[in-house]
Amino acid sequence: MTIKHIRNRQLSDFSTDKRVLFVIAIALPVAIAAMCAGLLLLQLIRLCTNLAYFGQFSFAELRLEDASLGLWAVGIPVIGSLLIGLIARYGSEKIRGHGIPEAIEAILLGRSRLDAKVAVLKPLSSAIAIGTGGPFGAEGPIIMTGGAIGSLIAQALPVSDNERKTLLVAGAAAGMTTVFGTPIAAIMLAVELLLFEWSPRSFIPVVVAATVAQLGRSLLGMGEPLFPFDGAMLTTLAGFAGWIAIGIAAGLLSGLLTQLVYACEDGFQRLPIHWMWWPMIGGLVVGIGGLIDPRALGVGYENISAMLDGQMLGVAAITLLVVKAVIWSVALGSGTSGGVLAPLLIMGGAMGAALGGFLPDASPGFWALLAMAAMMGGTMRAPLTATFFAVELTGNVQALLPLIVACVTAHAMTVLLMKRSILTEKIARRGHHIVREYRVDPFELTHVRDVMTSDVISVPAAMTLHGAVRFLTSPQTRHPSFPVVDQQGNVLGIVDPPSVLAWRRAGRHRNQSLGELLQGARITLAYPDEYLAGLVDKLVHANVAHLPVVSRTDGSLIGYIGWKDLMRVRQRLATETHERATLMGPKRRRTARQ
């Protein structure tokens, strides 16, 4: 067996090792803690709702539409927003917003470190916001809270940054599963939004955490779908066109709502008052919206049930859509605390219910379901998460194909219409651009022999230090460094201006040969059959810009490679990405200069 075959056999598809078992073991208590936090959040929301609107210290599920406070109801969201502003200013500013962008920012920029304040204040502030009428969902806050729990547990243990990230996301997935009973969607959310990688070392612990949370729900008697729905329609050409139409409409509405949210945020930024007071203004708008349509307040799960049952159509659906969109955009733009997922479902469902009369016949609530998922998939740019979320929420596997068509269509619309999503726009406004496209690193596929310089100019080991100085400073010399070889062709090292300067400073004699100067020196070599990913590590570890490439069989010099050769690989990938195929062959995309 050749050396090449041995090396290829040692390489594997994944870099995951047995360390993942340790991370899985930690993911178990993380999932249990996140599940408890999710259940606590749901109870806090009910308690705050009942205290604010009914004056009862109760955990019963009472509907906001049944509250009879009249004009006094306008002040309830204002008071709740004041409390949130105080918590944000004197507790932790990270509770502001809907949670997912903050989790992404912590993962990518904060080494997946979240403090204990977030784990405590985020669910408390969200419960106050939603309980006092805020038109938000509980998913964003529980993702942030579950993530904070995972991060805190990880910070107390000897784990790497990547393992801490995995445990943060595992807590977030467990929290989302606890609230909605959607473990598959929680896993897909981790893959599409939070992990920023696709590898067993992170994927397996997240799956374990989501599964444990779902098992806990089942043991607590919460295993049934949150919104059971068995409606369907025949797969026809007209029906297929309807699925696409819903996706297009959802994509357009997603773009409009995203722009509206950040237009409101820009408006608040211009106010001559401290940001602590902004949520009160948003709360006033929420209170007025509640007078127009009380169904727009709170999480509004009963609205989702009504849409799926076909009980909300026409004017009622349009009114709910408009009021919910306005108060949600203003409140979210004011920097209060609350999630976006449930509002997106409600607004998308209202749009689907309103458009259902113009689309092919289907079961009552079917078009509302498609629009809910498409709205979520388009706005969050997570079509797989949205598809599985709708399936698990309803327990309706028959709707899988229509759901994926509508979600992918909405996703395509928002990708083509907007540079960033509602989640990444906030991070971009803080000065950080995020690319959400996963590709195989070209360094993992390219061998050294594919990019090395084969026509190598070397210098003999017998050359003196004085001769090396004259050679390197000669106008005819085109490169800054050269491999030094002995009479047998073996590479002894590299001569370049820094090494020459170091020798001169060390008092080496000008007539000493390079072979003598390099005697006993450690040299890093590259081989033609190794991948550039490993070569990069060698360059960094040796702190050099170039490496000689030698044969594995006899050690003879066959090439030379440096950082410029690596950059050409990146440049080639960019060129291939922007080439357009034509009937007769490849054609490059014309640039503005052309």
Side-chain angles (χ1 to χ4, degrees):
M1 185 178 293
T2 65
I3 295 177
K4 178 180 178 181
H5 289 160
I6 293 175
R7 284 179 53 79
N8 287 340
R9 189 178 68 180
Q10 291 174 345
L11 298 175
S12 62
D13 293 341
F14 301 103
S15 60
T16 304
D17 54 26
K18 294 181 181 179
R19 175 77 178 183
V20 70
L21 300 177
F22 174 69
V23 180
I24 290 173
I26 304 174
L28 295 174
V30 167
I32 295 173
M35 182 182 67
C36 294
L39 296 173
L40 177 62
L41 174 60
L42 295 177
Q43 295 298 322
L44 280 175
I45 292 174
R46 295 192 187 111
L47 176 62
C48 291
T49 301
N50 296 338
L51 285 173
Y53 284 92
F54 299 93
Q56 300 179 16
F57 190 92
S58 169
F59 296 97
E61 293 190 31
L62 304 178
R63 303 192 338 159
L64 290 180
E65 300 94 293
D66 298 332
S68 56
L69 298 177
L71 292 176
W72 289 106
V74 175
I76 294 178
V78 177
I79 297 173
S81 299
L82 173 61
L83 294 176
I84 294 168
L86 293 171
I87 293 173
R89 182 171 184 180
Y90 299 106
S92 174
E93 190 177 347
K94 291 184 178 181
I95 70 165
R96 303 177 69 210
H98 44 92
I100 298 180
E102 289 73 20
I104 294 174
E105 194 171 25
I107 289 168
L108 292 180
L109 305 172
R111 299 180 60 194
S112 302
R113 293 180 180 273
L114 292 171
D115 55 34
K117 287 184 179 180
V118 176
V120 175
L121 297 181
K122 187 65 178 179
L124 176 61
S125 62
S126 299
I128 294 173
I130 299 172
T132 55
F136 306 113
E139 70 294 327
I142 193 54
I143 285 174
M144 190 70 170
T145 303
I149 291 173
S151 176
L152 289 171
I153 293 177
Q155 289 177 52
L157 298 171
V159 298
S160 65
D161 287 353
N162 185 79
E163 291 168 339
R164 190 183 308 113
K165 175 194 70 175
T166 299
L167 293 171
L168 185 155
V169 177
M176 179 176 173
T177 300
T178 302
V179 174
F180 292 105
T182 55
I184 307 300
I187 295 167
M188 294 311 303
L189 181 75
V191 172
E192 289 191 297
L193 284 178
L194 299 177
L195 285 176
F196 290 93
E197 66 172 284
W198 175 247
S199 64
R201 67 178 182 178
S202 57
F203 178 71
I204 295 174
V206 170
V207 171
V208 170
T211 304
V212 169
Q214 182 63 18
L215 177 61
R217 278 180 56 93
S218 299
L219 294 177
L220 293 173
M222 303 166 60
E224 295 298 319
L226 204 57
F227 305 105
F229 176 75
D230 57 4
M233 73 174 297
L234 296 176
T235 303
T236 62
L237 185 60
F240 181 74
W243 307 342
I244 294 178
I246 282 291
I248 293 174
L252 293 174
L253 184 57
S254 296
L256 177 62
L257 287 174
T258 300
Q259 296 298 323
L260 185 58
V261 167
Y262 286 103
C264 293
E265 183 174 299
D266 292 338
F268 280 105
Q269 293 282 353
R270 298 188 187 97
L271 294 178
I273 57 176
H274 193 275
W275 56 259
M276 183 189 76
W277 307 107
W278 297 353
M280 291 184 63
I281 301 175
L284 179 61
V285 175
V286 171
I288 296 173
L291 291 180
I292 300 172
D293 192 344
R295 298 171 303 171
L297 300 177
V299 291
Y301 289 163
E302 63 278 0
N303 296 321
I304 297 177
S305 298
M307 294 172 192
L308 295 178
D309 292 338
Q311 299 175 3
M312 187 182 299
L313 301 170
V315 176
I318 294 174
T319 303
L320 176 61
L321 170 60
V322 173
V323 174
K324 188 82 172 181
V326 171
I327 65 174
W328 175 73
S329 300
V330 174
L332 200 60
S334 71
T336 188
S337 180
V340 301
L341 202 154
L344 291 176
L345 294 180
I346 293 172
M347 289 182 285
M351 181 197 70
L355 295 177
F358 305 96
L359 296 170
D361 290 336
S363 299
F366 179 82
W367 294 115
L369 173 63
L370 255 62
M372 288 180 192
M375 190 69 182
M376 175 183 170
T379 306
M380 299 178 67
R381 292 186 179 178
L384 296 179
T385 299
T387 299
F388 286 109
F389 189 79
V391 170
E392 291 183 292
L393 271 184
T394 61
N396 191 343
V397 181
Q398 298 179 17
L400 185 58
L401 179 61
L403 284 168
I404 191 66
V405 170
C407 290
V408 170
T409 302
H411 178 61
M413 289 293 296
T414 56
V415 167
L416 294 175
L417 291 176
M418 299 188 301
K419 293 182 179 180
R420 290 177 286 268
S421 72
I422 195 172
L423 305 179
T424 56
E425 176 68 25
K426 182 178 287 292
I427 301 173
R429 288 175 172 230
R430 295 170 181 167
H432 308 290
H433 173 63
I434 296 175
V435 177
R436 290 178 54 193
E437 295 180 343
Y438 297 165
R439 299 173 181 154
V440 176
D441 188 345
F443 286 3
E444 299 283 358
L445 299 175
T446 307
H447 290 94
V448 169
R449 62 172 175 264
D450 298 329
V451 297
M452 71 180 186
T453 300
S454 300
D455 185 13
V456 187
I457 300 175
S458 61
V459 296
M463 178 181 285
T464 64
L465 178 57
H466 178 66
V469 173
R470 292 180 58 188
F471 175 71
L472 291 175
T473 57
S474 172
Q476 286 75 33
T477 301
R478 297 176 297 171
H479 306 294
S481 64
F482 297 87
V484 180
V485 298
D486 60 15
Q487 293 181 348
Q488 291 74 34
N490 297 318
V491 179
L492 302 181
I494 294 176
V495 60
D496 54 14
S499 60
V500 169
L501 184 61
W503 288 326
R504 295 296 295 269
R505 286 177 173 174
R508 298 300 181 93
H509 196 275
R510 58 184 296 186
N511 291 325
Q512 280 187 281
S513 68
L514 296 180
E516 294 173 343
L517 293 170
L518 290 170
Q519 187 174 7
R522 297 182 62 182
I523 179 173
T524 303
L525 300 173
Y527 300 95
D529 59 341
E530 68 177 315
Y531 290 100
L532 296 186
L535 180 77
V536 171
D537 294 335
K538 286 186 176 182
L539 288 170
V540 173
H541 183 71
N543 194 27
V544 295
H546 299 82
L547 287 179
V549 184
V550 301
S551 171
R552 286 189 183 273
T553 55
D554 57 9
S556 60
L557 179 67
I558 60 175
Y560 204 50
I561 189 169
W563 65 270
K564 285 188 177 180
D565 300 307
L566 302 180
M567 294 303 101
R568 290 190 189 100
V569 176
R570 296 285 188 187
Q571 185 180 26
R572 184 180 64 189
L573 177 63
T575 301
E576 292 173 352
T577 302
H578 291 88
E579 280 185 347
R580 295 186 302 182
T582 65
L583 183 61
M584 301 302 295
K587 177 182 179 181
R588 289 191 178 182
R589 181 183 299 173
R590 298 185 63 183
T591 63
R593 291 185 179 180
Q594 294 174 322

